[in-house]
Amino acid sequence: EIVLTQSPATLSLSPGERATLSCRASQSVSSYLAWYQQKPGQAPRLLIHDASNRATGTPARFSGSGSGTDFTLTISSLEPEDFAIYYCQQRSNWPLTFGPGTKVDIK
Amino acid sequence: EVQLVESGGGLVHPGGSLRLSCAASGFTFGGYAMNWVRQAPGKGLEWISYISSSDGTMYHADSVKGRFTISRDNANNLLFLQMDSLRDEDTALYYCATQGFDFWGQGTLVTVSS
Protein backbone atom coordinates (compact mmCIF):
# COMPACT_ATOMS: atom_id res chain seq x y z
CA GLU A 1 0.00 0.00 0.00
CA ILE A 2 1.30 3.46 -0.89
CA VAL A 3 1.44 5.71 2.16
CA LEU A 4 0.99 9.44 1.68
CA THR A 5 2.43 11.90 4.17
CA GLN A 6 1.24 15.51 4.24
CA SER A 7 2.99 18.44 5.81
CA PRO A 8 2.48 20.53 7.72
CA ALA A 9 -0.44 19.13 9.65
CA THR A 10 -1.70 22.67 10.25
CA LEU A 11 -0.86 25.86 8.40
CA SER A 12 -1.87 29.13 10.05
CA LEU A 13 -1.97 32.00 7.58
CA SER A 14 -3.75 35.26 6.92
CA PRO A 15 -5.96 36.09 3.93
CA GLY A 16 -3.82 37.23 1.02
CA GLU A 17 -0.84 35.09 2.01
CA ARG A 18 0.61 32.26 -0.05
CA ALA A 19 0.01 28.69 1.12
CA THR A 20 2.33 25.83 0.23
CA LEU A 21 1.16 22.30 1.10
CA SER A 22 3.29 19.21 0.67
CA CYS A 23 2.40 15.58 -0.07
CA ARG A 24 5.01 12.84 -0.16
CA ALA A 25 4.41 9.27 -1.35
CA SER A 26 6.18 6.18 0.00
CA GLN A 27 6.89 5.12 -3.59
CA SER A 28 6.50 6.69 -6.99
CA VAL A 29 2.96 7.45 -8.11
CA SER A 30 4.12 9.09 -11.36
CA SER A 31 1.68 11.97 -11.85
CA TYR A 32 -1.36 10.10 -10.55
CA LEU A 33 -1.99 12.43 -7.66
CA ALA A 34 -5.06 14.49 -6.82
CA TRP A 35 -5.84 17.22 -4.29
CA TYR A 36 -9.14 17.80 -2.52
CA GLN A 37 -10.57 20.55 -0.35
CA GLN A 38 -13.02 19.77 2.45
CA LYS A 39 -14.94 22.25 4.55
CA PRO A 40 -16.85 21.33 7.73
CA GLY A 41 -20.07 19.49 7.02
CA GLN A 42 -19.34 19.21 3.32
CA ALA A 43 -18.21 16.48 0.99
CA PRO A 44 -14.69 16.74 -0.39
CA ARG A 45 -14.22 18.76 -3.56
CA LEU A 46 -11.73 17.77 -6.25
CA LEU A 47 -9.30 20.64 -6.93
CA ILE A 48 -6.41 19.13 -8.89
CA HIS A 49 -5.98 15.85 -10.75
CA ASP A 50 -2.96 14.27 -12.39
CA ALA A 51 -0.70 16.39 -10.18
CA SER A 52 -1.16 19.70 -11.96
CA ASN A 53 -4.48 19.82 -13.80
CA ARG A 54 -7.15 22.03 -12.28
CA ALA A 55 -10.58 20.42 -12.08
CA THR A 56 -13.53 22.20 -13.61
CA GLY A 57 -14.35 25.24 -11.52
CA THR A 58 -11.10 25.32 -9.57
CA PRO A 59 -9.87 28.92 -9.31
CA ALA A 60 -6.55 29.79 -10.94
CA ARG A 61 -5.01 30.68 -7.55
CA PHE A 62 -4.76 26.91 -6.92
CA SER A 63 -1.88 25.14 -8.60
CA GLY A 64 -0.35 21.70 -8.27
CA SER A 65 3.12 20.50 -9.09
CA GLY A 66 5.41 17.52 -8.69
CA SER A 67 5.84 13.97 -9.89
CA GLY A 68 7.16 10.71 -8.56
CA THR A 69 7.08 11.00 -4.79
CA ASP A 70 6.97 14.73 -4.02
CA PHE A 71 4.03 16.99 -4.71
CA THR A 72 2.96 20.51 -3.81
CA LEU A 73 -0.35 22.34 -3.75
CA THR A 74 0.05 26.09 -3.82
CA ILE A 75 -2.63 28.67 -3.13
CA SER A 76 -1.16 31.90 -4.44
CA SER A 77 -3.24 34.30 -2.33
CA LEU A 78 -5.61 32.93 0.28
CA GLU A 79 -9.24 33.95 0.05
CA PRO A 80 -11.52 33.64 3.11
CA GLU A 81 -13.25 30.63 1.55
CA ASP A 82 -9.95 28.74 1.21
CA PHE A 83 -9.61 27.99 4.92
CA ALA A 84 -10.32 24.28 5.00
CA ILE A 85 -8.66 20.86 5.12
CA TYR A 86 -6.74 19.67 2.08
CA TYR A 87 -6.13 16.03 1.23
CA CYS A 88 -3.91 14.45 -1.39
CA GLN A 89 -4.79 11.09 -2.99
CA GLN A 90 -2.77 8.71 -5.11
CA ARG A 91 -4.46 6.96 -8.01
CA SER A 92 -1.43 5.02 -9.21
CA ASN A 93 -1.91 1.73 -7.35
CA TRP A 94 -4.68 -0.20 -5.67
CA PRO A 95 -5.67 0.38 -2.97
CA LEU A 96 -6.17 4.07 -3.62
CA THR A 97 -4.97 6.01 -0.60
CA PHE A 98 -5.41 9.47 0.87
CA GLY A 99 -3.01 11.51 2.93
CA PRO A 100 -3.97 12.52 6.49
CA GLY A 101 -4.72 16.10 5.47
CA THR A 102 -3.40 19.60 6.06
CA LYS A 103 -5.63 22.06 7.85
CA VAL A 104 -5.28 25.64 6.64
CA ASP A 105 -6.63 27.92 9.31
CA ILE A 106 -6.82 31.64 9.89
CA LYS A 107 -3.91 33.17 11.78
CA GLU B 1 -26.71 18.62 -13.09
CA VAL B 2 -24.90 15.63 -11.63
CA GLN B 3 -26.47 14.37 -8.41
CA LEU B 4 -25.45 11.52 -6.13
CA VAL B 5 -27.74 10.73 -3.20
CA GLU B 6 -26.72 8.12 -0.66
CA SER B 7 -29.17 6.30 1.61
CA GLY B 8 -29.39 3.26 3.84
CA GLY B 9 -27.23 4.35 6.75
CA GLY B 10 -28.25 3.95 10.35
CA LEU B 11 -27.46 2.36 13.70
CA VAL B 12 -26.47 -1.29 13.65
CA HIS B 13 -25.02 -3.67 16.22
CA PRO B 14 -21.55 -5.14 15.80
CA GLY B 15 -21.76 -8.18 13.54
CA GLY B 16 -24.80 -6.81 11.76
CA SER B 17 -25.37 -5.86 8.13
CA LEU B 18 -26.46 -2.82 6.15
CA ARG B 19 -26.93 -2.11 2.46
CA LEU B 20 -26.10 1.38 1.29
CA SER B 21 -27.47 2.82 -1.94
CA CYS B 22 -26.37 5.71 -4.09
CA ALA B 23 -28.86 7.09 -6.61
CA ALA B 24 -27.21 8.82 -9.55
CA SER B 25 -28.66 11.33 -11.99
CA GLY B 26 -27.53 13.95 -14.46
CA PHE B 27 -24.97 11.83 -16.28
CA THR B 28 -24.69 8.52 -18.14
CA PHE B 29 -24.26 6.35 -15.06
CA GLY B 30 -23.49 3.17 -16.98
CA GLY B 31 -20.51 4.79 -18.65
CA TYR B 32 -18.58 5.54 -15.46
CA ALA B 33 -16.84 3.58 -12.78
CA MET B 34 -17.87 4.42 -9.23
CA ASN B 35 -16.32 4.48 -5.76
CA TRP B 36 -17.21 4.43 -2.08
CA VAL B 37 -15.18 6.52 0.34
CA ARG B 38 -15.73 6.79 4.08
CA GLN B 39 -14.80 9.24 6.80
CA ALA B 40 -14.87 8.32 10.46
CA PRO B 41 -15.99 11.11 12.80
CA GLY B 42 -13.29 13.76 13.01
CA LYS B 43 -10.92 11.72 10.86
CA GLY B 44 -9.60 11.71 7.30
CA LEU B 45 -10.80 10.11 4.10
CA GLU B 46 -10.53 6.38 3.38
CA TRP B 47 -11.22 4.90 -0.04
CA ILE B 48 -12.95 1.56 0.38
CA SER B 49 -14.42 0.25 -2.89
CA TYR B 50 -14.37 0.64 -6.68
CA ILE B 51 -16.48 -0.89 -9.42
CA SER B 52 -15.95 -0.55 -13.14
CA SER B 53 -18.63 0.78 -15.46
CA SER B 54 -19.75 -2.50 -16.96
CA ASP B 55 -17.34 -5.46 -16.79
CA GLY B 56 -17.74 -6.04 -13.08
CA THR B 57 -14.17 -5.33 -12.05
CA MET B 58 -14.08 -4.51 -8.33
CA TYR B 59 -11.46 -3.50 -5.81
CA HIS B 60 -11.84 -3.22 -2.05
CA ALA B 61 -9.59 -1.86 0.66
CA ASP B 62 -8.02 -4.48 2.89
CA SER B 63 -9.96 -3.08 5.85
CA VAL B 64 -13.26 -4.19 4.30
CA LYS B 65 -12.23 -7.05 2.02
CA GLY B 66 -14.37 -10.13 2.58
CA ARG B 67 -16.98 -8.14 4.51
CA PHE B 68 -18.15 -5.42 2.08
CA THR B 69 -19.27 -5.91 -1.53
CA ILE B 70 -19.80 -3.18 -4.08
CA SER B 71 -22.34 -3.65 -6.89
CA ARG B 72 -24.37 -1.60 -9.33
CA ASP B 73 -27.62 -1.57 -11.31
CA ASN B 74 -26.97 0.38 -14.48
CA ALA B 75 -30.58 0.08 -15.62
CA ASN B 76 -31.75 2.03 -12.60
CA ASN B 77 -28.68 4.25 -12.06
CA LEU B 78 -27.94 2.76 -8.64
CA LEU B 79 -24.72 1.94 -6.80
CA PHE B 80 -24.73 -0.32 -3.73
CA LEU B 81 -22.48 -1.27 -0.86
CA GLN B 82 -23.39 -4.44 1.01
CA MET B 83 -21.79 -4.26 4.44
CA ASP B 84 -21.63 -7.46 6.51
CA SER B 85 -19.91 -8.38 9.78
CA LEU B 86 -19.85 -4.73 10.78
CA ARG B 87 -17.40 -3.57 13.42
CA ASP B 88 -17.20 -0.53 15.67
CA GLU B 89 -14.44 0.85 13.47
CA ASP B 90 -16.77 0.90 10.45
CA THR B 91 -18.62 3.83 12.03
CA ALA B 92 -18.30 6.62 9.47
CA LEU B 93 -19.95 8.84 6.93
CA TYR B 94 -20.05 6.90 3.66
CA TYR B 95 -19.79 8.80 0.39
CA CYS B 96 -20.27 7.58 -3.17
CA ALA B 97 -18.13 9.31 -5.78
CA THR B 98 -17.77 9.16 -9.53
CA GLN B 99 -14.87 7.59 -11.41
CA GLY B 100 -12.59 10.62 -11.22
CA PHE B 101 -13.86 11.68 -7.79
CA ASP B 102 -15.10 14.85 -9.43
CA PHE B 103 -18.60 14.40 -8.05
CA TRP B 104 -19.54 13.25 -4.55
CA GLY B 105 -22.78 12.71 -2.67
CA GLN B 106 -23.41 14.23 0.73
CA GLY B 107 -22.91 10.93 2.51
CA THR B 108 -24.93 8.57 4.68
CA LEU B 109 -23.95 7.93 8.30
CA VAL B 110 -23.34 4.41 9.53
CA THR B 111 -23.02 3.91 13.27
CA VAL B 112 -21.94 0.53 14.61
CA SER B 113 -22.54 0.27 18.33
CA SER B 114 -23.95 -2.11 20.88
Side-chain angles (χ1 to χ4, degrees):
Chain A
E1 173 176 314
I2 295 176
V3 177
L4 299 178
T5 304
Q6 290 186 244
S7 60
T10 303
L11 194 54
S12 297
L13 294 169
S14 300
E17 290 194 291
R18 182 184 188 90
T20 303
L21 288 66
S22 174
C23 177
R24 178 164 289 179
S26 60
Q27 65 188 76
S28 176
V29 299
S30 185
S31 293
Y32 298 114
L33 190 105
W35 290 94
Y36 300 83
Q37 177 193 68
Q38 189 177 34
K39 298 178 182 179
Q42 296 185 16
R45 170 195 173 192
L46 176 68
L47 294 176
I48 301 285
H49 63 89
D50 297 322
S52 61
N53 295 294
R54 277 188 292 273
T56 302
T58 300
R61 62 182 181 274
F62 291 90
S63 63
S65 64
S67 65
T69 60
D70 290 297
F71 300 86
T72 301
L73 175 70
T74 301
I75 311 170
S76 60
S77 178
L78 283 162
E79 296 288 339
E81 62 268 27
D82 299 337
F83 292 92
I85 299 175
Y86 293 83
Y87 296 95
C88 58
Q89 178 206 34
Q90 67 82 17
R91 303 179 182 183
S92 174
N93 286 22
W94 301 102
L96 306 184
T97 49
F98 289 91
T102 290
K103 183 178 183 179
V104 179
D105 65 15
I106 300 176
K107 187 174 182 180
Chain B
E1 180 194 3
V2 173
Q3 279 201 311
L4 298 171
V5 180
E6 301 93 339
S7 60
L11 175 64
V12 62
H13 294 308
S17 297
L18 276 178
R19 190 192 197 202
L20 306 184
S21 299
C22 169
S25 61
F27 67 105
T28 307
F29 179 72
Y32 290 87
M34 296 291 295
N35 297 274
W36 286 99
V37 176
R38 68 183 180 184
Q39 187 168 35
K43 303 297 184 183
L45 302 169
E46 180 188 15
W47 169 84
I48 54 172
S49 295
Y50 162 96
I51 187 166
S52 64
S53 58
S54 58
D55 73 0
T57 299
M58 295 179 286
Y59 298 101
H60 292 87
D62 286 347
S63 58
V64 305
K65 201 172 291 183
R67 300 187 300 122
F68 291 10
T69 304
I70 190 171
S71 64
R72 63 191 298 161
D73 176 355
N74 285 344
N76 291 294
N77 295 346
L78 292 168
L79 176 71
F80 302 105
L81 186 68
Q82 178 66 41
M83 310 165 65
D84 299 319
S85 303
L86 283 160
R87 305 168 179 168
D88 291 353
E89 56 265 33
D90 295 319
T91 293
L93 189 60
Y94 285 74
Y95 295 102
C96 61
T98 52
Q99 177 172 315
F101 298 89
D102 38 0
F103 296 100
W104 297 61
Q106 284 304 303
T108 186
L109 182 62
V110 172
T111 303
V112 184
S113 175
S114 52

